[in-house]
Amino acid sequence: MTDSLQSWDYLEGLQGVELQKLYKSPPSALAIFRKLLSGLSKHFVMSMLYCPRPTPLTEFELMVKASRAKDRQMALDQLRRYHIVRETTLKSGKALSLVPDFARSLRRVLGGGGSGYTFGQVFSPPASQAVSVDDLDDYARQQWEGILGYMVGSSNLAELQQPGEELAPPSSSVIELLKAGSLVTVQGTVSRGQIPTITKDGFAFVLKDVSTQIWALLFLYVDNCDAFDMEKIEVLSFIFFVASLELGLAYSISTLTTKEKQMLQDLLGLGIIYQPDSNATFFYPTRLATTLTSSSTSAITTASQTLGSSLQPNSDLSAAHNTSPHQTPGSGFIIIETNFRLYAYTSSSLQIALLSLFIALRSRHPNMVTGKMTKQSVQRAIQVGITAEQIISYLSTHAHPQMKRYAAAELARNQARQIAINASSAGPNAEGATNAMLHLKVIPDTIMDQISLWQMERDRITSNAGFLLKDFTTNSEYQDVCRYADETGVLIWSDDKRRVFFVTRVEGVQSFIKERRVREQARMAF
């Protein structure tokens, strides 16, 4: 992720005392065990979990082959980094043991012990208020598409949407979260309307998978919890609690504290929680919640495909154009030619709005849009912070399978040609040397070079709106007025030989010129 967004590494920045408070919650201990720890780290934890005495370091050496000593050390360092283990000294040498809070919580999870509603109280709602998993998926998708649509640009998106595609705007709390993370900048007032503009970080955000996106916003929420009079550990514990719930089941809010009920309302705006109405005494976790701490790749992939369809191309169309057995439907939908014309096989309004950030769209068809990449369209994107590297990466990632096949064939031809040329001089290492020099280029070099040049030109030349003042009667008048503009901070550029200068604001300078001329006329009258 970008510097302004946090990933799971955020937990490494917590102090040991904070982590110990977090480990008192069984769902939190389970989440960190499942999501953060490597396979070898989990093995070490399980070997110590029911051991009454500290485990000597020499025993960890026996668990791992000598050839994998580096992996053993990395696993132990990970446990130390998250303050899961503590080191003690025995007569035989140094030893490790699990910290009591983590061990106690994890044993409670595995053994099903403990009292209270550690993983929520299941609620049986009336038949009229029961919600199916498909309905929960639809709700989560609508909420998430509303957030992404707002980031891409609601005004632009509204022009692209077909009847029935209108997206619900995100809640005010979500908008404040996006602004706090510098994902969007908002101009205007509430009364006259606010216009969001996506930033460089926001553009990188929308290109991530759903799991990465939701965690980035959740860690932003944790970072800004002080504004809601809550502590980081309280927020993290509740997030891990929600992530431990089961999809399709309803849970009572009677076991939640006042602050947890407040957090529940905040999570509603992110599509993580569903409530039939504000007065409901129960809630449902959506798929966004139940896959937060999942270590299953298939579960995460299913969630991304189910809830992330807003930024995926038309799967039926992609499948129709995809003849390679190595490509999956929806793996790519963009074709760009060396003349900068672009064809995107998608019917997603969000995806089209995303393209419009740096493409001048020309026409839209039921299953495709066409456009052209121009200097103006690219520099418009660069002006809001989107980089040339991000644009090239987006085009490469979503390139149509046909472009990838053509690029692979072109690479093979170039490699064969280079091997033939260097065979006499390079000998048997010709192929290896050639492979090191050549690599797959899905986007034509002319396109990549021109996008980079347009960014360099935009970075080199800056423009300022303002006023050019000239035709001064005397040099002293020019010097006085220019000095006044400089002292008031509106002067941008000046040329003393030509007696001209450029200012960002002209009102104060005009008043100064009039007052000076009045004083000059009065002086000459005497």
Side-chain angles (χ1 to χ4, degrees), residues 57 138 507:
L57 287 176
D138 290 340
E507 295 83 0

Side-chain angles (χ1 to χ4, degrees), residues 375-388 450-464:
K375 176 181 178 181
Q376 291 76 17
S377 65
V378 171
Q379 290 192 342
R380 182 180 67 241
I382 293 172
Q383 185 175 4
V384 300
I386 300 172
T387 65
Q450 189 60 66
I451 294 174
S452 299
L453 288 173
W454 281 334
Q455 174 169 313
M456 292 172 61
E457 180 180 339
R458 178 66 178 80
D459 293 341
R460 185 175 68 251
I461 300 175
T462 58
S463 61
N464 293 278

Side-chain angles (χ1 to χ4, degrees), residues 130-387:
V131 179
S132 66
V133 174
D134 290 339
D135 291 336
L136 291 175
D137 287 342
D138 290 340
Y139 167 77
R141 186 186 303 110
Q142 291 171 5
Q143 293 296 110
W144 203 244
E145 287 182 354
I147 295 173
L148 296 179
Y150 177 84
M151 293 180 61
V152 171
S154 300
S155 58
N156 189 25
L157 189 63
E159 300 174 359
L160 299 170
Q161 289 175 345
Q162 301 294 335
E165 281 188 315
E166 292 78 9
L167 300 179
S171 63
S172 57
S173 61
V174 173
I175 293 176
E176 291 302 320
L177 205 58
L178 297 176
K179 291 164 59 179
S182 300
L183 302 181
V184 296
T185 57
V186 178
Q187 298 178 341
T189 61
V190 176
S191 58
R192 297 185 178 182
Q194 295 182 324
I195 302 175
T197 302
I198 194 170
T199 65
K200 171 186 174 182
D201 292 342
F203 188 78
F205 174 87
V206 298
L207 299 184
K208 300 293 183 180
D209 60 272
V210 175
S211 178
T212 303
Q213 290 173 344
I214 191 67
W215 268 117
L217 288 187
L218 286 176
F219 283 130
L220 276 175
Y221 179 63
V222 174
D223 254 348
N224 293 273
C225 65
D226 294 340
F228 309 104
D229 192 27
M230 290 183 290
E231 296 182 359
K232 292 182 179 180
I233 303 305
E234 287 180 323
V235 179
L236 280 172
S237 296
F238 185 71
I239 291 173
F240 290 139
F241 162 75
V242 170
S244 68
L245 304 181
E246 186 174 343
L247 181 64
L249 294 182
Y251 293 86
S252 173
I253 66 173
S254 61
T255 60
L256 303 181
T257 65
T258 302
K259 290 186 177 181
E260 288 174 341
K261 291 177 182 178
Q262 177 184 342
M263 287 185 277
L264 194 70
Q265 297 304 311
D266 295 331
L267 296 183
L268 280 170
L270 295 175
I272 295 177
I273 295 298
Y274 171 78
Q275 272 187 301
D277 56 71
S278 57
N279 297 322
T281 58
F282 63 94
F283 66 92
Y284 284 91
T286 68
R287 197 180 299 273
L288 286 176
T290 56
T291 56
L292 279 176
T293 58
S294 176
S295 57
S296 171
T297 304
S298 60
I300 296 175
T301 302
T302 300
S304 296
Q305 292 176 347
T306 304
L307 305 176
S309 58
S310 57
L311 287 179
Q312 298 297 326
N314 187 306
S315 57
D316 296 335
L317 181 69
S318 299
H321 283 78
N322 181 14
T323 59
S324 171
H326 302 293
Q327 295 287 349
T328 58
S331 59
F333 63 100
I334 293 175
I335 293 178
I336 186 167
E337 300 175 337
T338 53
N339 59 3
F340 297 93
R341 293 186 181 276
L342 181 139
Y343 307 89
Y345 293 94
T346 180
S347 57
S348 167
S349 297
L350 273 177
Q351 195 66 269
I352 297 171
L354 193 60
L355 282 171
S356 69
L357 293 175
F358 57 90
I359 296 292
L361 298 179
R362 299 293 175 85
S363 63
R364 180 174 182 178
H365 308 276
N367 58 359
M368 182 183 71
V369 293
T370 67
K372 188 172 184 178
M373 183 178 295
T374 65
K375 176 181 178 181
Q376 291 76 17
S377 65
V378 171
Q379 290 192 342
R380 182 180 67 241
I382 293 172
Q383 185 175 4
V384 300
I386 300 172
T387 65

